[in-house]
Amino acid sequence: MRIAIAGGTGTVGRLVTREAERRGHDAVVLARSVGVDLVTGEGLAGALDGADAVIDTTSIGTLRAKDATAFFRAASGALLAAAAQAAVGHALLLSIVGIDRIPHGYYAGKLAQEEEHARSRVPVSLVRATQFHEFAGQVAAHARFGPVQLAPRARVQPIAADDVATHLVSLAEGEPQGRSRDVAGPREERLSEMVREWERHAGRRGPVWAIDLPSARMRGMRRGLALPGPDALVLGPRFSDWLRRQ
């Protein structure tokens, strides 16, 4: 197959690209670094020529609802319009578990992105995933102050990004499913303990203080609103097992 990966240089996109190539597919990266601008549509027509499927893993580094919504509507709108023009048979979107339950600016953008895919002329598969195991490192980096590491309390059921990428390629090889099953890791974890494990694995021995952050997003995560439902597809290793292999 010829599979186009929007955001193919990002955290998940590069893993999707690698997995698609490992299976013998022709993987086409859609990113500014290779001359494809999803917001303006520049380079999309040529990149999607002959594509059988397109996997949307795009992201943006903003927490503002207005900016996130504008980006995702523009990027996914341009991507799906170009995909329809190129007669692509399957568009897949990676989204996030709980975005319809937790107030958060970035999540508002992801919901807008889901809406773009839901009204697409291209048959779609939409899959929501829980936070990645890598989330612990991202949180740790933003909550480190000198020798002191803060560790926000939250309930999560994290999954390895590698397993999400493998699942997306498997879905791309099949028929469009509409709203697909959510995917999650095998066990609920405490985010504060994940951060602690991450820090010790990295060789840092300073104090790690568990705290309750007051943001709406973190309050929702402490309530378990980012956890998957009982019908979610469970994939991959537990966080501690994954971390030992890094």
Side-chain angles (χ1 to χ4, degrees):
M1 296 176 63
R2 182 174 173 85
I3 301 176
I5 302 98
T9 58
T11 300
V12 181
R14 60 184 175 81
L15 298 175
V16 171
T17 301
R18 185 179 69 186
E19 177 64 16
E21 291 175 339
R22 187 189 69 80
R23 298 191 191 193
H25 299 306
D26 179 13
V28 181
V29 172
L30 309 180
R32 286 181 179 175
S33 59
V34 294
V36 178
D37 191 319
L38 292 176
V39 175
T40 67
E42 181 182 357
L44 268 175
L48 291 175
D49 184 35
D52 301 291
V54 58
I55 301 176
D56 191 348
T57 67
T58 52
S59 183
I60 184 174
T62 181
L63 301 182
R64 294 185 58 190
K66 182 179 179 180
D67 294 341
T69 299
F71 169 78
F72 282 121
R73 285 206 184 280
S76 289
L79 176 65
L80 293 166
Q85 187 67 29
V88 176
H90 192 179
L92 300 95
L93 173 63
L94 174 62
S95 193
I96 306 169
V97 168
I99 59 174
D100 50 350
R101 300 190 293 263
I102 300 175
H104 184 49
Y106 183 79
Y107 289 177
K110 291 296 291 183
L111 284 171
Q113 186 185 35
E114 289 188 1
E115 291 171 2
E116 292 293 326
H117 280 257
R119 58 172 171 252
S120 167
R121 289 183 291 146
V122 180
V124 302
S125 293
L126 189 156
V127 57
R128 290 180 177 179
T130 54
Q131 284 75 26
F132 303 142
H133 289 326
E134 290 86 348
F135 185 53
Q138 296 167 358
V139 170
H142 285 92
R144 189 179 299 123
F145 301 92
V148 177
Q149 175 67 61
L150 302 182
R153 294 188 181 95
R155 296 173 63 192
V156 293
Q157 192 167 325
I159 186 171
D162 262 321
D163 289 294
V164 174
T166 298
H167 182 60
L168 286 169
V169 176
S170 294
L171 286 176
E173 293 172 335
E175 296 298 317
Q177 298 187 8
R179 176 68 187 271
S180 183
R181 290 172 67 187
D182 295 348
V183 293
R187 187 175 75 175
E188 182 180 332
E189 308 273 2
R190 289 184 293 176
L191 179 58
S192 57
E193 288 303 312
M194 289 172 62
V195 171
R196 186 184 303 276
E197 285 187 61
W198 181 280
E199 289 296 289
R200 298 303 180 246
H201 180 78
R204 288 183 281 269
R205 298 291 179 260
V208 179
W209 294 347
I211 62 168
D212 289 341
L213 291 181
S215 69
R217 180 194 187 193
M218 297 310 296
R219 285 197 299 270
M221 292 180 73
R222 286 196 296 275
R223 290 172 55 197
L225 300 184
L227 297 176
D231 60 341
L233 178 63
V234 172
L235 299 172
R238 298 181 302 175
F239 175 73
S240 56
D241 296 330
W242 173 86
L243 188 60
R244 278 195 291 270
R245 297 204 294 264
Q246 301 309 302

